[in-house]
Every structure is written in structure tokens, then in C-alpha cells.
Amino acid sequence: MRVALLTYSTRPRGGVVHTLALAEALAAAGADVTVWTLARGGGFFRPVDPRVRLELVPFPDVPGEAVGPRILRSIALLRAAFRPHDFDVVHAQDCISANAVDRCVRTVHHLDHFTTPELAACHERAIVRPEAHVTVSSTVAAQLRAGWGIAATVIPNGVDAARFAAAVPLVRERPYVLSVGGIEPRKGSIDLLDAFAHARRTLPGLELVIAGGETLFDYRDYRTAWQARADALGLAPDVLGPVRHDELPSLVAGAAAFAFPSTKEGFGLAALEALAADVPVVARDLPVLREVFGSSVRYGHDPQSLGAALVDAVRHGKGDPALASSYTWEEAARRHLEFYGGLA
């Protein structure tokens, strides 16, 4: 079976991490897999199994380009390069790649609301046009059914649990709470500041570390508001930006707690990686996270309750390597191949 997996970037965002791990697991299961992507900033952020072919479509940076034109240019460049007739299955992993092809399967990782017209239209078309849909959680599948009458097949993500379980914890001067995903509205970054400030009243030696942040979108206004709130609270978080793939497990394993206050998620892969490293997780109380994590994490619904949960996690918490290990890419690949076989 010749499978094309399409994604929009080479940088370490959740959908890209999913695409590469799934591609490698499909190839290990015997599929002929090619990953197509826009080469934003060069090659992929990590080495890829040589059994997976890579098609990197050059995507040069245009200084000052707004989000809307960038979305349209992304779709046009990927559409012009892609060769659909070379494949039995075309599987798009995001709205840009789903808009770049005429027929595809689509994984809907999570649903969002955009105000940029081009992005809002991209998001809608990428839901209604695909011939079949996959979601990584039952919660997102229910949202698709309620909002669009679409029946999706649920195939959870895998987790590279062994990679995080084996990590040597990073040692820093002070214990730290870690958040991965950068500073943006969907990650609940401003709420995280208030939650951390609440926690630090009890644990004054605690530090906040924020990793990640590669994105297509322009969050400068939000980041300005975030910095103003940090200043008002007297906080100086250590904002690392993107972290090297081989350094991330140690950073995660060294954390006293992992903060996951996202306002929207489809699965929660980064938090499961923390659980694999035996690090306690504090998450926003969302139905999808209740579905995936159950009682393995602490929940909060606002900054005060998130902060209280952080204090409890740092003092008494632990991870859940068994839960993380229960989600495997091998099983995800098996279920995808079964799903692909049923498309005919």
C-alpha cells in the first residue's frame, strides 16, 4: 500500500510530531510511506527513519507576510508540488495540507476558531471536503458529529514512552515547572502565569520554564499581554524557545511538575511524555483530557485551582509511565492500515 502523509511544516509542532511517528510505524509495518511537507526552515527537526521517503517542498520566508497570504501561499505551493496519482491513500494531517489536495483522508487533531478569513475558510474546507476522517480522541469525534454530522474513526496517538522513561533528568539551580508549546492563546499561557504566581506563594524557590513555540501564526499582541502580566506579577519565566529533539526528554524528566493549562487540545501528547518520564502533570479540566488521562493527572479549571494543583504536584506528585506506555505507535499504525483497507 502506497501512503502519502501530508503535513504543513518541518518544525516540532504536535501535528508534525504525529506525522513522523505514524509514518515510521506504518513503514515498519510494511507500508510504502512518503511524507510530504513544506520545508519551513530546512529539513525536519529530527532524523527520520530511512524507510520513510521525504518530499520537502521549499517554502522560503517572506518578511512581513501576514497570516492570510501565508496560508494561501502554503496551500498553493504544496498543491503545485504534490503528485496524488502516485499513492493509494492520501492522508492530510492539518487544514493546509487538506486544502492542497482534491481527495484525501483527514486527521482532525482538534477543532479551533479563527478570525483570519483565509484561515477560517481553510479550517472549514479541511473539515467538510475530505472523504473520510480520523480523530485522535472520542471527544473530538463527538464535536465533529455534533457540529458537522461527520462520523470519524477514533485512533489515538502513540507515545514514545521509552525515550522519556530513559531520560537523565536535567539538573537546574532551582526546581522548575515546565510547560511545552510556547506562548499562545490555545496553550493558556497567561493563565499559567497566574497559576504559577499562586503556586510560588507557597513554593517561593520554584521556577517557570517554557519550551517550544514554533508556529505559523502571529501572536505578538498576545505575547505582549503575556509579558505585561508577567511583569505585573513580578515573574521572569525562562522562555527557551524551540528545544533540540535530543535535549527535550532530559528537560521534561528534570521538571518538578509539568503544566498543561491548554484551553483546547485533541489528545495531550506532550503531557503523556511527561507522565512517561514519571513527572506529575497538572492539566486544565477539559473533557478530552479527562478521556485520555483519567485520574493520572491533577486538574484545575482556573488559575487558582491550577496553582493549587501545581503545589500538590510538586510536593506529592508522580507520573504514570504505565498509562503513557499503553499508547503505542505500533497499535496506531495497525489501526490506520485497517482503516485504509476499509476505504476501498
Side-chain angles (χ1 to χ4, degrees):
M1 180 180 291
R2 301 168 301 165
V3 180
L5 296 182
L6 280 66
T7 186
Y8 73 101
S9 180
T10 49
R11 295 173 177 172
R13 295 294 289 183
V16 182
V17 171
H18 168 104
T19 302
L20 294 184
L22 176 59
E24 291 169 332
L26 288 170
D32 182 351
V33 184
T34 303
V35 172
W36 285 77
T37 189
L38 296 169
R40 301 179 190 275
F44 278 109
F45 66 94
R46 69 164 177 84
V48 180
D49 188 322
R51 289 176 292 187
V52 176
R53 282 193 291 274
L54 302 178
E55 292 282 355
L56 307 181
V57 180
F59 189 83
D61 188 41
V62 175
E65 185 178 37
V67 172
R70 190 182 314 147
I71 295 297
L72 296 179
R73 183 165 65 95
S74 299
I75 295 168
L77 284 175
L78 188 55
R79 174 177 282 275
F82 183 60
R83 301 187 298 272
H85 300 297
D86 291 351
F87 304 99
D88 302 308
V89 176
V90 176
H91 191 162
Q93 299 292 330
D94 51 78
C95 80
I96 288 173
S97 58
N99 276 259
V101 295
D102 292 323
R103 300 177 63 187
C104 69
V105 173
R106 165 82 199 283
T107 292
V108 181
H109 292 274
H110 68 273
L111 294 166
D112 222 324
H113 175 72
F114 298 107
T115 56
T116 303
E118 296 90 342
L119 191 51
C122 175
H123 183 267
E124 181 69 14
R125 287 194 302 267
I127 291 174
V128 300
R129 287 178 52 190
E131 297 178 302
H133 300 74
V134 174
T135 63
V136 294
S137 64
S138 297
T139 302
V140 176
Q143 291 170 345
L144 276 181
R145 185 167 54 250
W148 290 268
I150 289 171
T153 297
V154 179
I155 306 177
N157 278 319
V159 181
D160 191 354
R163 176 170 167 253
F164 286 83
V168 177
L170 178 68
V171 177
R172 293 172 62 104
E173 277 190 41
R174 296 189 292 168
Y176 61 95
V177 169
L178 177 66
S179 177
V180 173
I183 299 166
E184 58 183 72
R186 188 172 69 85
K187 296 300 180 181
S189 302
I190 292 178
D191 277 357
L192 175 58
L193 291 173
D194 286 290
F196 180 75
H198 179 88
R200 215 168 68 160
R201 295 186 194 109
T202 303
L203 301 170
L206 205 58
E207 183 182 17
L208 178 60
V209 176
I210 298 174
E214 289 285 1
T215 180
L216 276 176
F217 309 128
D218 184 354
Y219 292 132
R220 281 176 292 185
D221 290 345
Y222 185 84
R223 289 174 181 171
T224 297
W226 179 90
Q227 186 61 59
R229 186 59 182 157
D231 293 342
L233 292 168
L235 300 178
D238 190 358
V239 181
L240 303 178
V243 174
R244 286 168 51 99
H245 178 72
D246 56 356
E247 295 174 354
L248 181 62
S250 290
L251 178 67
V252 172
F258 188 90
F260 201 60
S262 299
T263 61
K264 295 177 183 177
E265 285 291 342
F267 185 75
L269 182 56
L272 275 164
E273 291 169 343
L275 292 181
D278 204 20
V279 172
V281 170
V282 172
R284 192 181 297 271
D285 196 352
L286 303 178
V288 64
L289 300 184
R290 288 277 183 180
E291 174 191 340
V292 175
F293 295 102
S295 60
S296 293
V297 308
R298 289 162 173 78
Y299 295 99
H301 61 275
D302 60 11
Q304 185 171 354
S305 57
L306 287 165
L310 282 173
V311 171
D312 188 54
V314 170
R315 284 177 163 173
H316 309 296
K318 59 181 182 178
D320 191 343
L323 177 66
S325 297
S326 71
Y327 293 102
T328 70
W329 287 111
E330 291 77 13
E331 175 63 10
R334 184 194 68 77
R335 292 178 63 177
H336 273 86
L337 289 171
E338 184 179 83
F339 171 77
Y340 296 155
L343 294 176

